[in-house]
Amino acid sequence: MILRKSGIVDTRQLKTLLAVVEFGSFSRAADAVHLTVSAVSQQIQALEQEVGASLFDRTSRPAGLTAAGQQMAELADQLVRAAENAIDAISGRKLIGTLSIGSVRTSALSLLPRAMVKMNATHPDLHIKLRVASSETLLQDVLAGRIDAAMIAEHGNFPSALRWRPFLREPLWVIAPPGSPPLSAKTFLTTYPFIRFRANVPLAHIVDLELARLNLTLNEVAEIDTIAAITSCVANGLGVSVVPQVAIDDTAAELVRTPFGDPQMFRQIGLVERRSASRVVLIAELHRLLVEICGPNGVSSDPQ
């Protein structure tokens, strides 16, 4: 901690600091928080005096955060969120501030913007930010408090400081080009060219493990790292592949499908958050909306 016990930091200064970090300069931050550049500079200087450390390296252009500044920015984000949550709960006012959400690059990514739009309709003064990154990066961001929650597929063990709860449990299908005859999964996979999902993500691992267990001879014609591209290739007649339900729902093509796996395989996606998350009510609302959007594949569950 770099906060002193001798004084009280003004949350307005913290918000200004976060604006400078987000927009990359004092001038752009001034526009965002509706202050003059001079006022922004004065607030940052006052904050530096209070914490007893330089927060920005002013020898570089634009000024970058010092190590103390990086630590202060992380603390500022947590403090501002906690203050806003407390005021929301006590006053019953409209929800304001920022809800930061992360997501992996997944075929289910389209679900999250739909839920965000619904939340914005209910809370128009709430600013929701979406960031897409790898699961490892997102987990570290959630742990550090840089984002409030992240949409991540089920995998291994999550850190004990985090909790994960699924909102989607969807079946996996072997898909074939429109107009294909209705065949079994085994027949499709062994007689048609096969398009493999090649990516370091849980879904690809699930598919690969089941294919290995089935011990089928495949005629692989392509390796592709996005489900959307795979679905497009199948729709255009390149071959067959394995995709989750949401990929079929998101395409206009009349793909032929049959269950993958014996018994049929499923994959789960959920929200991960800190067990001490400050925006727990909002994250719970986002989870509820995601379950609703997922329809029959939605999972209403207790956090893990």
Side-chain angles (χ1 to χ4, degrees):
M1 288 284 289
I2 59 175
L3 290 176
R4 292 185 188 175
K5 297 180 180 178
S6 59
I8 299 176
V9 175
D10 190 334
T11 56
R12 291 172 297 182
Q13 296 171 358
L14 299 181
K15 290 179 180 178
T16 300
L17 170 64
L18 293 174
V20 175
V21 173
E22 179 176 359
F23 293 100
S25 73
F26 282 33
S27 59
R28 287 196 290 269
D31 291 337
V33 297
H34 308 294
L35 294 173
T36 64
V37 175
S38 176
V40 167
S41 180
Q42 290 174 5
Q43 286 197 9
I44 296 300
Q45 289 175 5
L47 184 58
E48 289 176 323
Q49 291 176 0
E50 181 60 39
V51 302
S54 295
L55 303 179
F56 288 92
D57 177 6
R58 292 173 173 80
T59 62
S60 62
R61 289 291 180 273
L65 286 172
T66 62
Q70 182 64 49
Q71 185 183 7
M72 188 68 231
E74 293 178 1
L75 290 170
D77 186 60
Q78 297 174 26
L79 290 169
V80 169
R81 291 173 192 272
E84 290 177 344
N85 289 341
I87 295 173
D88 290 341
I90 295 170
S91 68
R93 72 179 186 185
K94 291 182 179 179
L95 291 173
I96 63 172
T98 300
L99 179 67
S100 298
I101 304 296
S103 175
V104 292
R105 295 175 179 85
T106 170
S107 54
L109 182 57
S110 62
L111 300 172
L112 196 48
R114 289 157 62 186
M116 290 167 61
V117 169
K118 288 194 172 188
M119 285 198 73
N120 275 136
T122 305
H123 309 295
D125 296 319
L126 180 68
H127 179 46
I128 307 176
K129 294 171 59 177
L130 173 61
R131 181 188 177 204
V132 178
S134 68
S135 59
E136 294 78 9
T137 298
L138 292 175
L139 286 175
Q140 290 303 313
D141 285 345
V142 174
L143 278 169
R146 289 187 287 270
I147 59 177
D148 295 298
M151 186 172 82
I152 294 177
E154 181 180 26
H155 68 84
N157 293 322
F158 288 97
S160 60
L162 302 180
R163 57 186 170 192
W164 177 87
R165 53 177 153 176
F167 60 81
L168 172 68
R169 182 178 185 269
E170 61 178 341
L172 303 185
W173 303 91
V174 175
I175 56 171
S180 299
L183 302 173
S184 68
K186 180 178 179 180
T187 303
F188 272 133
L189 292 169
T190 55
T191 60
Y192 281 63
F194 180 67
I195 304 167
R196 185 180 292 273
F197 180 37
R198 181 70 73 187
N200 186 26
V201 296
L203 175 59
H205 301 327
I206 291 173
V207 173
D208 285 346
L209 284 173
E210 181 63 9
L211 288 172
R213 189 189 70 81
L214 293 172
N215 194 28
L216 303 176
T217 300
L218 304 175
N219 174 24
E220 296 191 31
V221 294
E223 292 183 352
I224 301 178
D225 63 358
T226 67
I227 292 294
I230 288 175
T231 305
S232 178
C233 287
V234 173
N236 284 282
L238 183 61
V240 301
S241 192
V242 179
V243 301
Q245 177 69 48
V246 69
I248 299 173
D249 294 340
D250 286 345
T251 183
E254 294 294 329
L255 300 172
V256 176
R257 66 182 180 182
T258 190
F260 173 68
D262 184 20
Q264 186 172 19
M265 303 293 294
F266 288 77
R267 69 102 175 241
Q268 292 196 108
I269 294 178
L271 287 181
V272 63
E273 63 184 294
R274 295 185 306 281
R275 294 188 181 277
S276 58
S278 60
R279 314 226 79 175
V280 60
V281 174
L282 278 175
I283 296 170
E285 182 175 346
L286 177 63
H287 183 274
R288 179 185 60 77
L289 289 172
L290 285 165
V291 172
E292 178 183 297
I293 291 169
C294 291
N297 295 319
V299 179
S300 182
S301 63
D302 295 327
Q304 302 299 309

